[in-house]
C-alpha cells in the first residue's frame, strides 16, 4: 500500500520506511524517538506511518504519523531560501485525508488546526500548499498557536535566513517539529497534544560552526505577549524524556 488514494482530492504517499524520504533530514538520519523510532526503524509499523508529503508530484517534507492518535509524531523539512517571498496562502483549502477529518476541528472554540511543519518554512507555493494537510496538523490551543508559537516560528525563520548559510552561500537549515500526545481528544477522535516542540540546526559559514536550538511549550491557553525561551537540544531531550535524540545535534 505504498500509494494510498483516499479520495479524489488527495493522495498520501506512505513510504516503506523513513529512509525512503530522508532528504529532509540532516545527513538523512532520522530522529530517535523512544518506543516509536529506533535507529531509523519504526517499532510499531501498523500504528506509525512514514509519509513522504507530496504535492503536484513534488516531495515536500516528511511526516511520521500516528494513526491511533491521528496526529503527527513529527514533521521534518529542509529550510531553503524563499524563491520569491510568498505570503501564507489566503483561505487555503485544507486537504482532506483519512484518520482525522475537518469536521473534527469544526466549531472548536478552544483549539484550531496547528501546523506541525509551518507553511512559513516552505520555500515555494507547492511546498506551502502541501503543509495544509491534516496529516501535518494537531489540535492546538488557539491563543498558543497565534501567540508564542507563531512568534517562535517567525524568529526561527529569521535566524536561519540570517545565519544558516552553507558553504555555497545558500540558505539551508533542517527543522524537526513534533507533538507529544496528551490525555484528551478533540471530539473523542483526535489527540490533543500536551506539548509541542521544535528544533533546528544548520551550518553557519559566517560563524564557522554548527548552530542548533530548540523550543517547546505546553499546549495550553497563554496570556497575551507570551514568549518561548530558546533552549539547547540537550535541554529538549531532557524535557521530552529519556532516549529522545534528533540527529541534528552538532557541537
Ligand atoms: C519547491 O520546493 C521543493 C522542495 O520543497 C522542490 O523540490 C521543488 O522543486 C520546488 N518547486 C519549484 C517550482 O521551485
Amino acid at each position: 500500500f505504498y500509494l494510498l488514494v483516499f479520495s479524489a482530492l488527495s493522495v498520501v504517499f506512505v513510504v516503506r520506511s523513513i529512509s525512503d524520504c530522508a532528504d529532509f533530514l540532516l545527513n538523512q538520519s532520522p530522529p530517535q524517538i523512544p518506543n516509536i523510532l529506533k535507529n531509523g526503524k519504526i517499532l510499531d509499523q501498523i500504528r506509525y506511518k512514514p509519509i513522504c508529503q507530496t504535492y503536484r508530484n513534488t516531495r515536500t517534507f516528511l511526516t511520521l504519523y500516528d494513526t491511533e492518535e491521528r496526529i503527527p509524531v513529527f514533521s521534518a523539512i529542509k529550510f531553503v531560501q524563499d524563491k520569491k517571498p510568498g505570503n501564507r496562502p489566503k483561505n487555503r483549502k485544507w486537504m482532506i485525508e483519512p484518520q482525522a477529518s475537518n469536521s473534527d476541528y469544526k466549531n472548536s472554540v478552544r483549539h484550531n488546526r496547528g501546523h506541525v511543519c509551518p507553511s512559513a518554512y516552505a520555500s515555494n507555493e507547492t511546498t506551502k500548499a502541501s503543509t495544509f494537510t491534516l496529516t501535518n496538523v494537531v489540535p492546538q490551543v488557539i491563543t498558543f498557536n497565534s501567540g508564542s508559537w507563531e512568534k517562535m516560528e517567525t524568529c526561527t525563520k529569521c535566524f536561519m535566513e540570517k545565519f544558516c548559510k552553507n558553504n555555497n552561500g545558500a540558505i539551508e537549515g533542517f527543522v524537526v517539529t513534533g507533538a507529544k500526545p496528551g490525555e484528551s481528544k478533540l471530539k473523542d477522535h483526535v489527540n490533543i497534544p500536551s506539548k509541542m516542540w521544535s528544533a533546528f540546526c544548520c551550518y553557519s559559514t559566517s560563524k564557522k560552526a554548527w548552530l542548533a536550538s530548540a523550543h517547546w511549550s505546553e499546549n495550553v491557553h497563554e496570556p497575551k505577549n507570551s514568549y518561548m525561551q530558546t533552549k539547547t537540544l540537550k535541554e529538549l531531550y531532557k524535557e521530552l524524556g529519556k532516549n529522545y535524540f534528533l540527529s541534528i545535534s552538532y557541537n
Side-chain angles (χ1 to χ4, degrees):
F1 59 96
Y2 303 123
L3 171 63
L4 297 183
V5 181
F6 287 101
S7 75
L9 284 177
S10 82
V11 175
V12 175
F13 284 84
V14 176
V15 287
R16 192 197 296 265
S17 74
I18 297 269
S19 60
D20 293 330
C21 189
D23 288 346
F24 306 105
L25 298 162
L26 178 67
N27 295 335
Q28 309 202 323
S29 304
Q32 303 274 10
I33 306 209
N35 305 321
I36 298 179
L37 189 56
K38 198 174 177 197
N39 301 328
K41 201 173 158 9
I42 297 168
L43 301 178
D44 181 345
Q45 301 190 11
I46 305 289
R47 175 168 173 183
Y48 299 101
K49 300 292 185 196
I51 296 173
C52 210
Q53 301 283 2
T54 303
Y55 192 61
R56 295 186 192 129
N57 290 324
T58 305
R59 291 177 155 214
T60 52
F61 64 99
L62 161 73
T63 297
L64 182 63
Y65 191 73
D66 181 346
T67 60
E68 227 159 77
E69 302 296 348
R70 300 184 169 92
I71 53 169
V73 178
F74 69 82
S75 285
I77 193 169
K78 187 170 155 183
F79 179 81
V80 294
Q81 174 87 68
D82 264 19
K83 289 282 181 311
K84 70 177 160 51
N87 291 320
R88 188 185 161 105
K90 290 256 178 327
N91 301 320
R92 162 62 50 199
K93 259 197 139 148
W94 287 83
M95 289 175 261
I96 317 296
E97 275 144 12
Q99 317 301 345
S101 76
N102 268 329
S103 64
D104 291 323
Y105 286 89
K106 245 192 183 149
N107 305 323
S108 170
V109 286
R110 193 174 156 79
H111 301 93
N112 60 10
R113 289 169 294 205
H115 275 79
V116 174
C117 174
S119 90
Y121 290 7
S123 63
N124 59 39
E125 293 307 317
T126 303
T127 309
K128 267 191 214 307
S130 78
T131 64
F132 285 78
T133 161
L134 292 178
T135 53
N136 181 46
V137 152
V138 298
Q140 189 173 7
V141 172
I142 295 170
T143 50
F144 170 43
N145 192 0
S146 60
S148 66
W149 184 258
E150 191 179 310
K151 273 181 243 160
M152 178 279 289
E153 288 177 340
T154 308
C155 291
T156 301
K157 185 182 175 187
C158 251
F159 184 95
M160 290 192 293
E161 282 169 344
K162 196 161 174 196
F163 295 108
C164 295
K165 302 243 173 76
N166 65 20
N167 282 326
N168 301 320
I171 293 176
E172 183 185 272
F174 293 86
V175 188
V176 185
T177 303
K180 190 166 191 175
E183 299 298 325
S184 56
K185 291 193 173 182
L186 194 61
K187 305 243 169 94
D188 290 330
H189 199 63
V190 183
N191 188 287
I192 299 171
S194 57
K195 205 172 276 176
M196 290 176 70
W197 56 267
S198 182
F200 81 91
C201 92
C202 70
Y203 184 73
S204 174
T205 322
S206 60
K207 298 202 177 281
K208 293 196 173 54
W210 283 90
L211 307 177
S213 69
H215 293 89
W216 69 83
S217 191
E218 305 289 321
N219 185 20
V220 292
H221 174 72
E222 63 179 34
K224 268 203 165 119
N225 301 320
S226 298
Y227 280 90
M228 279 159 88
Q229 282 188 306
T230 301
K231 307 271 192 174
T232 64
L233 292 177
K234 267 211 182 109
E235 288 170 306
L236 176 66
Y237 302 149
K238 210 172 146 203
E239 176 68 23
L240 291 176
K242 239 173 97 188
N243 300 328
Y244 254 89
F245 183 75
L246 305 169
S247 323
I248 58 177
S249 45
Y250 275 77
N251 293 315

